[in-house]
Amino acid sequence: MEKTIVEKLKLQSYSKKTILNKPIDQSYLTELSDADNALNEKNYDLIFVFVYDFSGMQQIVQQISQGNYLKEKGYLFIAYPKKGNTRYPTFVHRDEIMPGLQVDEGGYLPDSPLKFSRMVSMDDTFTVVGIKEAGKEKMKKSTASSQRVADSGELVVKIQEDLYKNPTELSFYNQLTAGYQRDWARYVYSAKQAITQEKRKKEMIMILENGFKTREFYRQSLR
């Protein structure tokens, strides 16, 4: 018999836990009978949340991050309906999660100790992403991360210079969040050969011209 999500993620091993937005017509997580069903207090070891679209995912991640509801090394698990599920009319495309939440190259959310850790299938309807409260682990890496951000900042300036002759695209680029700007800068200038950089610049200009923030969002529009 296939393991349940409780068994896969060893959810019973967490002491203080809560389950949010659980579907009322499904018998998910029945083994966790001692869990809260709201954010009644701070410092949870485990927060398991069901969301039904990407907006819901963004909102809960922001709430947990800003509210400091997780203990250090605690886990936030988010179950979302996968593309092609037959139960819900909505879904979250896995390719939009990382850029949509502005996850950096180290897996961290912006200005947060929350770090993406794992992704696992729950059943035919839901996929679960795991986000860890990294705490001191991130502090140890802060110096290196700061240097990477500074380097990316210099590349952002280069992108702005590259777009000087394309004022509409430059204006759109400048309205992007810092994370999206850095993603474009790294994409273009991570190429070692000048010819590849130029090819990527043209691709970036075309995508920005069409009003898309990222390559991922543009590709999704073509499906």
Side-chain angles (χ1 to χ4, degrees):
M1 180 181 294
E2 185 178 355
K3 290 183 177 181
T4 67
I5 196 66
V6 172
E7 294 171 322
K8 287 180 181 179
L9 299 176
K10 300 180 181 179
L11 300 183
Q12 289 179 316
S13 65
Y14 295 90
S15 299
K16 188 177 178 181
K17 44 192 174 283
T18 188
I19 303 170
L20 308 178
N21 303 331
K22 179 181 173 182
I24 58 176
D25 60 338
Q26 297 294 310
S27 57
Y28 290 123
L29 310 180
T30 54
E31 303 96 320
L32 306 181
S33 57
D34 58 336
D36 294 340
N37 58 10
L39 293 172
N40 295 327
E41 47 190 305
K42 308 275 188 177
N43 296 320
Y44 281 100
D45 298 293
L46 166 68
I47 300 175
F48 198 106
V49 189
F50 289 85
V51 301
Y52 302 93
D53 54 33
F54 186 65
S55 175
M57 180 179 288
Q58 288 177 307
Q59 290 174 13
I60 194 63
V61 167
Q62 184 178 37
Q63 181 181 4
I64 300 303
S65 178
Q66 294 181 352
N68 297 316
Y69 286 101
L70 278 176
K71 283 184 179 179
E72 185 178 332
K73 297 185 179 180
Y75 260 93
L76 167 64
F77 287 107
I78 304 176
Y80 65 87
K82 59 184 67 176
K83 184 178 181 180
N85 83 87
T86 58
R87 183 171 296 276
Y88 301 103
T90 56
F91 66 91
V92 176
H93 198 296
R94 60 182 296 169
D95 291 343
E96 73 178 317
I97 295 176
M98 305 296 265
L101 295 177
Q102 301 178 41
V103 177
D104 68 19
E105 60 187 11
Y108 288 95
L109 292 162
D111 303 314
S112 171
L114 298 184
K115 179 182 181 181
F116 271 78
S117 175
R118 61 194 305 185
M119 181 177 289
V120 61
S121 177
M122 185 171 184
D123 56 17
D124 291 338
T125 302
F126 288 104
T127 294
V128 177
V129 292
I131 301 175
K132 179 183 178 182
E133 209 289 359
K136 295 178 181 178
E137 178 182 329
K138 183 174 185 181
M139 293 175 63
K140 293 177 182 178
K141 299 178 180 179
S142 61
T143 301
S145 297
S146 296
Q147 183 60 50
R148 285 195 297 271
V149 169
D151 294 342
S152 297
E154 294 177 2
L155 295 180
V156 166
V157 173
K158 292 184 70 174
I159 291 292
Q160 291 169 330
E161 293 172 350
D162 294 334
L163 292 173
Y164 179 74
K165 294 182 179 180
N166 302 84
T168 301
E169 289 71 36
L170 175 59
S171 176
F172 185 72
Y173 179 80
N174 286 336
Q175 293 175 36
L176 298 179
T177 61
Y180 286 147
Q181 291 182 356
R182 290 195 297 267
D183 286 345
W184 276 119
R186 284 193 290 261
Y187 173 65
V188 170
Y189 286 105
S190 63
K192 295 182 179 180
Q193 296 184 356
I195 190 171
T196 304
Q197 290 181 6
E198 289 303 315
K199 181 180 178 181
R200 292 183 179 184
K201 287 176 191 177
K202 291 179 180 178
E203 179 189 11
M204 175 187 67
I205 290 171
M206 180 272 293
I207 291 173
L208 295 177
E209 181 182 10
N210 282 277
F212 293 96
K213 298 178 181 179
T214 70
R215 296 169 65 239
E216 290 78 9
F217 291 160
Y218 173 71
R219 288 175 176 176
Q220 288 174 30
S221 74
L222 302 178
R223 294 171 183 169

